Amino acid sequence: SAVISQKPSRDICQRGTSLTIQCQVDSQVTMMFWYRQQPGQSLTLIATANQGSEATYESGFVIDKFPISRPNLTFSTLTVSNMSPEDSSIYLCSVAWWGRRETQYFGPGTRLLVL
Amino acid sequence: ILNVEQSPQSLHVQEGDSTNFTCSFPSSNFYALHWYRWETAKSPEALFVMTLNGDEKKKGRISATLNTKEGYSYLYIKGSQPEDSATYLCAFPRYNNAGNMLTFGGGTRLMVKP
């Protein structure tokens, strides 16, 4: 298993600004993922962030809007750029190790409200 | 696009009641099905990873079954307690060179009244 922390835990931001969310893991992990849950919606994958390679974005998500860094095996950041009220969501990072049946472990989430 | 559905969306039960809910998923190219429990302001907690048709897994008062041929899984809670109140999520993984990505259902929100 893994212990995952996220910063900030919550924030209220003005439209047009950007917020960087940090994800820290207590052990080295191969895969890190970023998800979001908009109000009333399912948890949706934004991108996969593996160290040593560029992030892989899901359909509907682009690097200019959600730039991701993965400088080492225990840390990643997700930036929500040029925010609008539609970006108000819970953002979660998760980690996993290679293996088709391995579970993923999630951080506590960042609750973002954009005014 | 993978279609993972959960029903019901929400459920209100009395303390002591037993309850169950459903997750349906694509029956082709099955590898695993994940169940999570998500309490407000906490991390989603992994409950089970189901892999074999006919699998039944148990954790305390919570158990899950799996039917890969027809594409559904049931989660059961026996003798619900107020601390069971949470959103229960199922997720279907897909794999590529980047990793194993989870497609989540919409969740079942369970509220247990004392």
Coordinates of all heavy atoms in Angstrom, one line a residue, chain A residues 31 33 35 37 42-43 45 48 50 56 58 90 92 96-108 111, chain B residues 31-32 34 36 38 40-44 46 49 51 89 93-102 104-106:
Chain A
M31 N 3.5 4.2 -11.5 CA 2.4 4.9 -12.1 C 1.7 5.9 -11.2 O 1.4 5.6 -10.0 CB 1.4 4.0 -12.7 CG 1.9 3.1 -13.8 SD 0.7 2.0 -14.4 CE 0.7 0.7 -13.1
F33 N -1.6 8.8 -11.4 CA -2.7 9.2 -12.2 C -3.4 10.4 -11.5 O -3.4 10.6 -10.3 CB -3.8 8.1 -12.2 CG -3.3 6.7 -12.7 CD1 -2.7 5.8 -11.8 CD2 -3.3 6.4 -14.0 CE1 -2.3 4.6 -12.2 CE2 -2.8 5.2 -14.5 CZ -2.3 4.3 -13.6
Y35 N -7.2 12.3 -11.4 CA -8.6 12.2 -11.7 C -9.3 13.4 -11.2 O -8.8 14.2 -10.4 CB -9.2 11.0 -10.9 CG -8.8 9.6 -11.3 CD1 -7.6 9.1 -10.9 CD2 -9.6 8.8 -12.2 CE1 -7.2 7.8 -11.2 CE2 -9.2 7.5 -12.6 CZ -8.0 7.0 -12.1 OH -7.6 5.8 -12.5
Q37 N -13.5 14.8 -10.1 CA -14.9 14.5 -10.0 C -15.6 15.8 -10.0 O -15.6 16.5 -9.0 CB -15.2 13.7 -8.7 CG -16.7 13.3 -8.7 CD -17.1 12.6 -7.4 OE1 -16.7 13.1 -6.3 NE2 -17.9 11.5 -7.5
S42 N -19.1 11.1 -12.4 CA -18.2 10.1 -12.0 C -16.8 10.6 -11.8 O -16.4 11.6 -12.4 CB -18.2 9.0 -13.1 OG -19.4 8.5 -13.4
L43 N -16.0 9.8 -11.1 CA -14.5 10.1 -11.1 C -14.0 9.8 -12.5 O -14.3 8.8 -13.1 CB -13.8 9.1 -10.2 CG -13.4 9.5 -8.8 CD1 -12.8 8.4 -8.1 CD2 -12.5 10.7 -8.8
L45 N -10.7 10.0 -15.3 CA -9.2 10.1 -15.4 C -8.9 11.3 -16.3 O -9.4 11.5 -17.4 CB -8.7 8.8 -16.0 CG -7.2 8.8 -16.3 CD1 -6.5 8.8 -14.9 CD2 -6.8 7.5 -17.1
T48 N -2.3 10.1 -17.1 CA -1.4 9.2 -16.5 C 0.0 9.9 -16.5 O 0.4 10.4 -17.6 CB -1.3 7.9 -17.2 OG1 -2.6 7.3 -17.3 CG2 -0.3 6.9 -16.5
N50 N 3.8 9.2 -15.7 CA 4.9 8.2 -15.4 C 6.2 8.9 -15.5 O 6.5 9.7 -16.4 CB 4.9 7.0 -16.3 CG 3.6 6.2 -16.1 OD1 3.0 6.2 -15.1 ND2 3.2 5.5 -17.2
T56 N 0.3 11.2 -20.3 CA -0.6 10.7 -21.4 C -2.0 11.2 -21.0 O -2.5 10.8 -19.9 CB -0.6 9.2 -21.5 OG1 0.7 8.8 -21.7 CG2 -1.5 8.7 -22.6
E58 N -6.2 11.8 -21.4 CA -7.4 11.2 -21.8 C -8.1 12.1 -22.8 O -7.8 13.4 -22.8 CB -8.3 10.9 -20.7 CG -7.7 9.8 -19.7 CD -7.5 8.5 -20.4 OE1 -8.5 7.9 -20.8 OE2 -6.3 8.1 -20.6
I90 N -13.4 18.0 -7.4 CA -12.5 17.3 -6.5 C -11.4 16.7 -7.4 O -11.7 16.0 -8.3 CB -13.1 16.2 -5.6 CG1 -14.2 16.8 -4.8 CG2 -12.0 15.6 -4.7 CD1 -15.0 15.8 -4.0
L92 N -8.1 14.3 -7.6 CA -7.4 13.2 -6.8 C -6.2 12.7 -7.6 O -6.3 12.5 -8.8 CB -8.3 12.1 -6.5 CG -9.5 12.3 -5.6 CD1 -10.8 12.2 -6.4 CD2 -9.6 11.3 -4.5
A96 N -0.1 3.4 -8.6 CA -0.2 2.0 -8.8 C 1.2 1.5 -9.2 O 2.0 2.2 -9.6 CB -1.3 1.6 -9.8
W97 N 1.3 0.2 -9.1 CA 2.5 -0.5 -9.6 C 2.1 -1.4 -10.8 O 1.0 -1.8 -10.9 CB 3.1 -1.4 -8.5 CG 3.7 -0.6 -7.4 CD1 5.0 -0.3 -7.2 CD2 3.0 0.0 -6.3 NE1 5.2 0.5 -6.1 CE2 3.9 0.7 -5.5 CE3 1.6 0.1 -5.9 CZ2 3.6 1.4 -4.3 CZ3 1.3 0.8 -4.7 CH2 2.3 1.4 -4.0
W98 N 3.1 -1.6 -11.6 CA 2.8 -2.4 -12.8 C 2.2 -3.8 -12.4 O 2.6 -4.4 -11.5 CB 4.1 -2.7 -13.6 CG 4.5 -1.5 -14.4 CD1 5.6 -0.7 -14.1 CD2 3.9 -0.9 -15.5 NE1 5.7 0.4 -15.0 CE2 4.6 0.3 -15.8 CE3 2.7 -1.2 -16.2 CZ2 4.3 1.1 -16.9 CZ3 2.4 -0.3 -17.3 CH2 3.2 0.8 -17.6
G99 N 1.2 -4.2 -13.1 CA 0.5 -5.4 -12.8 C -0.9 -5.2 -13.1 O -1.6 -4.4 -12.6
R100 N -1.5 -6.1 -13.9 CA -2.9 -5.8 -14.4 C -3.9 -5.8 -13.3 O -4.9 -5.2 -13.5 CB -3.2 -6.9 -15.5 CG -2.4 -6.7 -16.7 CD -2.9 -7.6 -17.8 NE -2.4 -7.1 -19.1 CZ -2.8 -7.6 -20.3 NH1 -3.7 -8.6 -20.3 NH2 -2.4 -7.2 -21.4
R101 N -3.7 -6.5 -12.2 CA -4.7 -6.6 -11.3 C -4.4 -5.8 -10.0 O -5.1 -6.0 -9.0 CB -4.9 -8.1 -10.9 CG -5.5 -8.9 -12.1 CD -5.7 -10.3 -11.8 NE -6.3 -11.0 -12.9 CZ -5.7 -11.5 -14.0 NH1 -4.4 -11.3 -14.1 NH2 -6.3 -12.1 -15.0
E102 N -3.4 -5.0 -10.0 CA -3.0 -4.2 -8.9 C -4.1 -3.2 -8.6 O -4.5 -2.5 -9.5 CB -1.7 -3.6 -9.1 CG -0.5 -4.6 -9.0 CD -0.4 -5.1 -7.6 OE1 -0.7 -4.4 -6.6 OE2 0.0 -6.3 -7.4
T103 N -4.4 -3.0 -7.4 CA -5.3 -1.9 -7.0 C -4.6 -0.6 -7.1 O -3.4 -0.5 -7.1 CB -5.9 -2.1 -5.6 OG1 -7.0 -1.3 -5.4 CG2 -4.9 -1.8 -4.5
Q104 N -5.3 0.5 -7.1 CA -4.8 1.8 -7.0 C -5.1 2.4 -5.7 O -6.1 2.2 -5.1 CB -5.4 2.7 -8.1 CG -4.9 2.4 -9.5 CD -5.3 3.4 -10.6 OE1 -5.7 4.5 -10.3 NE2 -5.2 3.0 -11.8
Y105 N -4.1 3.3 -5.2 CA -4.3 3.9 -3.9 C -4.4 5.4 -4.2 O -3.7 6.0 -5.0 CB -3.1 3.6 -3.0 CG -2.9 2.2 -2.8 CD1 -2.1 1.4 -3.6 CD2 -3.6 1.6 -1.7 CE1 -2.0 0.0 -3.3 CE2 -3.5 0.2 -1.5 CZ -2.7 -0.6 -2.3 OH -2.7 -1.9 -2.1
F106 N -5.4 6.0 -3.5 CA -5.8 7.4 -3.8 C -5.3 8.3 -2.7 O -5.3 8.0 -1.5 CB -7.3 7.5 -3.9 CG -7.8 7.0 -5.3 CD1 -8.0 5.6 -5.5 CD2 -8.0 7.9 -6.3 CE1 -8.4 5.2 -6.7 CE2 -8.4 7.4 -7.5 CZ -8.6 6.0 -7.7
G107 N -5.1 9.6 -3.1 CA -4.9 10.6 -2.1 C -6.2 11.1 -1.6 O -7.3 10.7 -2.1
P108 N -6.2 12.1 -0.6 CA -7.5 12.5 0.0 C -8.2 13.6 -0.9 O -9.3 13.9 -0.6 CB -7.0 13.2 1.3 CG -5.6 13.6 1.0 CD -5.0 12.6 0.1
R111 N -10.2 19.9 -3.0 CA -11.5 20.4 -3.4 C -11.4 21.8 -3.9 O -11.0 22.7 -3.1 CB -12.4 20.3 -2.1 CG -12.9 18.9 -1.9 CD -13.2 18.5 -0.5 NE -13.6 17.2 -0.4 CZ -12.8 16.1 -0.4 NH1 -11.5 16.3 -0.5 NH2 -13.3 14.9 -0.3
Chain B
Y31 N -10.4 -8.2 -17.3 CA -9.2 -8.5 -16.5 C -9.5 -8.4 -15.0 O -9.0 -9.3 -14.2 CB -8.1 -7.5 -16.8 CG -7.6 -7.6 -18.2 CD1 -7.9 -6.6 -19.2 CD2 -6.9 -8.7 -18.7 CE1 -7.5 -6.7 -20.5 CE2 -6.5 -8.8 -20.0 CZ -6.8 -7.8 -20.9 OH -6.4 -7.9 -22.2
A32 N -10.2 -7.4 -14.6 CA -10.5 -7.3 -13.1 C -11.6 -6.2 -12.9 O -11.9 -5.5 -13.8 CB -9.2 -6.8 -12.4
H34 N -12.7 -3.5 -9.7 CA -12.3 -2.9 -8.4 C -13.5 -2.3 -7.7 O -14.3 -1.7 -8.4 CB -11.3 -1.8 -8.6 CG -10.0 -2.2 -9.3 ND1 -8.8 -1.9 -8.7 CD2 -9.7 -2.8 -10.4 CE1 -7.8 -2.3 -9.5 NE2 -8.3 -2.9 -10.5
Y36 N -14.4 0.3 -4.5 CA -13.8 1.3 -3.5 C -15.0 1.8 -2.7 O -16.1 1.9 -3.1 CB -13.2 2.5 -4.3 CG -11.9 2.2 -4.9 CD1 -11.8 1.7 -6.2 CD2 -10.7 2.4 -4.3 CE1 -10.6 1.4 -6.8 CE2 -9.5 2.1 -4.9 CZ -9.5 1.6 -6.2 OH -8.3 1.3 -6.8
W38 N -15.8 5.4 -0.5 CA -15.3 6.8 -0.5 C -16.1 7.6 0.5 O -17.3 7.9 0.2 CB -15.3 7.4 -1.9 CG -14.6 8.7 -2.0 CD1 -13.8 9.3 -1.0 CD2 -14.6 9.6 -3.1 NE1 -13.3 10.5 -1.5 CE2 -13.8 10.7 -2.8 CE3 -15.2 9.6 -4.3 CZ2 -13.5 11.8 -3.6 CZ3 -15.0 10.6 -5.2 CH2 -14.2 11.7 -4.9
T40 N -16.8 11.0 2.7 CA -16.6 12.5 2.4 C -15.3 12.9 3.1 O -15.0 12.6 4.2 CB -17.8 13.3 2.9 OG1 -19.0 12.8 2.3 CG2 -17.6 14.7 2.6
A41 N -14.5 13.7 2.4 CA -13.3 14.3 2.9 C -12.1 13.3 3.2 O -11.2 13.7 3.8 CB -13.5 15.2 4.1
K42 N -12.3 12.1 2.7 CA -11.3 11.1 2.9 C -10.8 10.5 1.6 O -11.5 10.8 0.5 CB -11.8 9.9 3.8 CG -12.0 10.4 5.2 CD -12.4 9.2 6.1 CE -12.6 9.6 7.5 NZ -13.0 8.4 8.4
S43 N -9.8 9.7 1.6 CA -9.3 9.1 0.3 C -10.2 7.9 0.0 O -10.7 7.2 0.9 CB -7.9 8.5 0.5 OG -7.0 9.5 0.9
P44 N -10.5 7.7 -1.3 CA -11.2 6.4 -1.6 C -10.4 5.2 -1.1 O -9.2 5.2 -1.3 CB -11.2 6.4 -3.1 CG -11.2 7.9 -3.5 CD -10.3 8.5 -2.4
A46 N -9.6 1.2 -1.1 CA -9.8 0.0 -1.9 C -10.5 -1.1 -1.0 O -10.0 -1.4 0.1 CB -8.5 -0.5 -2.4
V49 N -10.4 -6.3 -5.2 CA -10.1 -6.5 -6.6 C -10.6 -7.9 -7.0 O -10.1 -8.9 -6.5 CB -8.6 -6.4 -6.9 CG1 -8.4 -6.5 -8.4 CG2 -8.1 -5.0 -6.5
T51 N -11.3 -10.8 -9.8 CA -10.6 -11.2 -11.0 C -11.2 -12.4 -11.7 O -11.2 -12.6 -12.9 CB -9.1 -11.5 -10.8 OG1 -9.0 -12.5 -9.7 CG2 -8.4 -10.3 -10.3
L89 N -17.9 2.8 -5.0 CA -17.6 2.9 -6.4 C -17.0 1.6 -7.0 O -16.2 0.9 -6.3 CB -16.5 4.0 -6.6 CG -16.7 5.4 -6.1 CD1 -15.5 6.2 -6.1 CD2 -17.7 6.1 -7.1
P93 N -10.7 -1.6 -15.1 CA -9.4 -1.2 -15.6 C -9.3 -1.5 -17.1 O -9.8 -2.4 -17.6 CB -8.4 -2.0 -14.8 CG -9.2 -3.2 -14.4 CD -10.6 -2.9 -14.3
R94 N -8.5 -0.6 -17.7 CA -8.0 -0.9 -19.1 C -6.5 -0.6 -19.1 O -6.0 0.2 -18.3 CB -8.8 0.0 -20.1 CG -8.7 1.5 -19.9 CD -9.6 2.2 -20.9 NE -9.7 3.6 -20.4 CZ -8.9 4.6 -20.7 NH1 -7.8 4.3 -21.5 NH2 -9.0 5.8 -20.3
Y95 N -5.9 -1.2 -20.1 CA -4.4 -1.2 -20.0 C -3.8 -0.7 -21.4 O -4.3 -1.1 -22.4 CB -3.9 -2.6 -19.7 CG -4.5 -3.1 -18.4 CD1 -5.7 -3.9 -18.5 CD2 -4.0 -2.8 -17.2 CE1 -6.3 -4.4 -17.3 CE2 -4.6 -3.3 -16.0 CZ -5.7 -4.1 -16.1 OH -6.3 -4.5 -15.0
N96 N -2.8 0.1 -21.3 CA -1.9 0.3 -22.4 C -0.5 0.5 -21.9 O -0.2 0.3 -20.8 CB -2.5 1.5 -23.2 CG -2.5 2.8 -22.4 OD1 -1.7 3.0 -21.5 ND2 -3.4 3.7 -22.8
N97 N 0.3 1.1 -22.8 CA 1.7 1.2 -22.4 C 1.9 2.2 -21.3 O 2.9 2.1 -20.5 CB 2.5 1.7 -23.6 CG 2.7 0.6 -24.7 OD1 2.6 -0.5 -24.3 ND2 2.9 1.0 -25.9
A98 N 0.9 3.1 -21.1 CA 1.1 4.1 -20.0 C 0.7 3.5 -18.6 O 1.2 4.0 -17.6 CB 0.2 5.3 -20.3
G99 N -0.1 2.5 -18.6 CA -0.5 1.9 -17.3 C -1.9 1.3 -17.3 O -2.4 1.1 -18.4
N100 N -2.4 1.1 -16.1 CA -3.7 0.5 -16.0 C -4.6 1.6 -15.5 O -4.6 2.0 -14.3 CB -3.7 -0.7 -15.0 CG -3.0 -0.4 -13.7 OD1 -2.1 0.3 -13.7 ND2 -3.5 -1.0 -12.7
M101 N -5.5 2.1 -16.4 CA -6.4 3.2 -16.1 C -7.7 2.7 -15.6 O -8.3 1.7 -16.2 CB -6.5 4.1 -17.3 CG -5.3 5.0 -17.6 SD -3.9 4.1 -18.2 CE -4.5 3.6 -19.8
L102 N -8.3 3.4 -14.7 CA -9.6 2.9 -14.2 C -10.7 3.8 -14.7 O -10.7 5.0 -14.7 CB -9.7 3.0 -12.6 CG -8.7 2.1 -11.9 CD1 -8.8 2.4 -10.4 CD2 -9.0 0.7 -12.2
F104 N -14.5 4.6 -13.8 CA -15.4 4.4 -12.7 C -16.9 4.5 -13.1 O -17.3 5.2 -14.0 CB -15.1 5.5 -11.7 CG -13.9 5.3 -10.8 CD1 -12.7 5.7 -11.3 CD2 -14.0 4.7 -9.6 CE1 -11.5 5.5 -10.5 CE2 -12.9 4.5 -8.9 CZ -11.6 4.9 -9.3
G105 N -17.7 3.8 -12.3 CA -19.1 4.0 -12.4 C -19.5 5.2 -11.6 O -18.6 5.9 -11.0
G106 N -20.7 5.6 -11.7 CA -21.2 6.8 -11.0 C -21.3 6.7 -9.5 O -21.4 7.7 -8.8

